[in-house]
Amino acid sequence: MNFTIQQIEQYAASTRFREGLAIPSGKSIKFSMLGQGEYNINYLFTHPVNGQKLVLRINTGSQMHLLDQIGYEYYALKLLENSTRTPKPYYLDSENHLLVMEYLPGRALDYRTDLKLAAECLAQIHSVNVPEDCHLICPDDPLEAMLDECQQMAEVYLRSDKGEKKTKEMLCRLLDAAKKHGKKEQQMSRCIINTELNSGNFLINGEGKNNYLIDWEKPLIGEAAQDLGHFLAPTTTYWKTDVLLTKEQKHDFVKQYQSCCKNTVEYEELQYRTDRYETMTCLRGVTWCAMAWVEYQDPNRPIQNQATYQKIRDYLTEDFLNWIWNSYFA
């Protein structure tokens, strides 16, 4: 499906779309660009009957190599509805790779002031019961699965005739170190995790108000510590901001999260597992950038975000890769 406003409005005039959202044929709908990620484009519109603001989300690719990426997201949101922390999904069209969900208000999270609010939000999401017939992918060994993903993403760069020789050497060095550090261990209890947390995926409204987590492109059944490690990793906090959290701030966040869970998890074990996932998240961050850098060399790539591309290049510099090595692998 193409992505001009005119073509979106033409699709919205279809009987299927209008019946799915209970919109009479005579009512007009206007769409405006809300934002886009690396594999999704989001449009904002207002339901012409009830006045509710809604988001039409179009999928352009799948990091998980799924044939029905948008359906995977839609049913994840259905599972998470009772958390009250995620958008309610209302409409799915897998054939055209789109869904419609509720629009939620809020600003991006500020790591300096909103860590407690993020801990509360994540604790409530992680408390959602996982049904036995859940459609979400559940890796047997999440850390091993992350390492395999890192290897696959790095291979895109390593096999490319483009890119820097020193960058390729450092990627190999990081991967080898991660393999040596890796060991299968007892896992904590499983829950629904987002796996890709950053400040822009939170919608913050303040203490005592509704705070949300959006963008459920890559949910899994896994350990809560995987989300915590991703949230705290420097490759995450530095992605859209200039923040690098201190060790003390990270530990305080894990304690706040544990408190929000009513101390049903042991702090020492949670902190240990979070540290493990933070290290792997750093590797995942730079290997994803390596893969994305190659993708960005294709002028026909559906989505080209220059701010993202600049950050990708920043993360692949010799200085940044050396800093990751010295901080987590040396």
Side-chain angles (χ1 to χ4, degrees):
M1 188 174 182
N2 295 315
F3 309 121
T4 66
I5 292 289
Q6 292 76 14
Q7 288 164 324
I8 295 298
E9 290 177 345
Q10 184 178 4
Y11 172 82
S14 68
T15 300
R16 176 178 178 178
F17 184 83
R18 288 178 175 268
E19 287 184 350
L21 293 171
I23 300 174
S25 59
K27 297 289 187 179
S28 63
I29 308 171
K30 291 186 177 181
F31 294 84
S32 60
M33 175 69 78
L34 181 61
Q36 65 182 38
E38 290 302 298
Y39 304 97
N40 295 280
I41 304 175
N42 301 293
Y43 294 91
L44 179 66
F45 71 102
T46 300
H47 194 291
V49 177
N50 61 28
Q52 183 180 11
K53 288 186 177 180
L54 300 169
V55 176
L56 184 145
R57 180 174 176 85
I58 301 175
N59 174 249
T60 64
S62 175
Q63 293 189 70
M64 305 177 77
H65 312 293
L66 300 174
L67 295 177
D68 185 14
Q69 171 67 39
I70 203 69
Y72 188 82
E73 294 182 43
Y74 175 87
Y75 290 110
L77 291 175
K78 291 294 287 184
L79 288 172
L80 291 164
E81 268 190 280
N82 289 337
S83 74
T84 70
R85 299 288 190 162
T86 58
K88 293 181 181 178
Y90 295 119
Y91 174 84
L92 171 66
D93 182 347
S94 290
E95 181 181 354
N96 287 300
H97 310 290
L98 62 84
L99 63 78
V100 173
M101 58 187 170
E102 124 183 80
Y103 169 81
L104 296 173
R107 58 168 174 80
L109 176 139
D110 186 334
Y111 293 107
R112 298 179 180 88
T113 60
D114 300 330
L115 290 180
K116 180 182 177 183
L117 302 180
E120 293 172 352
C121 187
L122 287 174
Q124 195 158 341
I125 287 171
H126 293 160
S127 70
V128 172
N129 291 327
V130 180
E132 291 186 6
D133 60 346
C134 180
H135 75 291
L136 296 178
I137 295 169
C138 180
D140 290 334
D141 186 339
L143 282 165
E144 184 66 28
M146 289 180 73
L147 180 57
D148 289 344
E149 181 188 24
C150 291
Q151 182 72 56
Q152 292 170 16
M153 292 189 293
E155 286 294 335
V156 175
Y157 190 94
L158 296 173
R159 291 195 304 265
S160 173
D161 58 1
K162 303 179 176 66
E164 298 291 333
K165 181 181 178 181
K166 286 186 177 180
T167 302
K168 293 182 179 182
E169 290 173 350
M170 179 54 84
L171 288 173
C172 291
R173 188 182 181 192
L174 289 167
L175 286 165
D176 288 343
K179 292 173 185 175
K180 292 176 182 177
H181 289 180
K183 56 180 179 178
K184 192 166 186 177
E185 298 171 329
Q186 183 68 35
Q187 299 172 33
M188 303 183 73
S189 60
R190 298 294 188 97
C191 59
I192 300 174
I193 57 174
N194 179 279
T195 77
E196 294 200 313
L197 302 173
N198 65 58
S199 57
N201 291 352
F202 285 88
L203 293 174
I204 301 298
N205 292 289
E207 186 77 34
K209 299 180 181 179
N210 293 325
N211 302 295
Y212 307 104
L213 180 61
I214 60 172
D215 198 355
W216 286 84
E217 182 180 330
K218 199 181 174 188
L220 298 173
I221 303 301
E223 296 180 79
Q226 183 171 344
D227 267 353
L228 305 189
H230 193 287
F231 178 74
L232 298 171
T235 47
T236 301
T237 63
Y238 201 60
W239 183 251
K240 293 186 177 182
T241 72
D242 60 352
V243 175
L244 294 173
L245 297 172
T246 66
K247 186 175 182 178
E248 290 73 21
Q249 287 175 312
K250 294 176 184 179
H251 286 189
D252 285 345
F253 174 79
V254 174
K255 290 176 182 176
Q256 288 173 336
Y257 173 87
Q258 185 216 20
S259 177
C260 293
C261 294
K262 297 180 173 59
N263 299 320
T264 56
V265 293
E266 183 187 31
Y267 168 73
E268 288 75 14
E269 179 66 13
L270 180 62
Q271 183 64 68
Y272 172 74
R273 297 296 287 175
T274 298
D275 289 343
R276 294 284 316 273
Y277 281 109
E278 182 182 344
T279 297
M280 193 63 72
T281 297
C282 289
L283 179 63
R284 185 179 181 274
V286 296
T287 54
W288 182 88
C289 285
M291 177 191 70
W293 184 91
V294 175
E295 292 179 352
Y296 265 76
Q297 307 317 301
D298 180 2
N300 297 317
R301 191 177 194 274
I303 298 175
Q304 294 276 356
N305 186 311
Q306 289 308 305
T308 296
Y309 185 45
Q310 181 58 55
K311 210 68 170 185
I312 288 169
R313 290 185 292 181
D314 291 344
Y315 278 26
L316 296 178
T317 61
E318 185 175 359
D319 285 348
F320 190 84
L321 292 174
N322 280 330
W323 180 74
I324 292 295
W325 170 264
N326 291 324
S327 299
Y328 291 92
F329 295 95

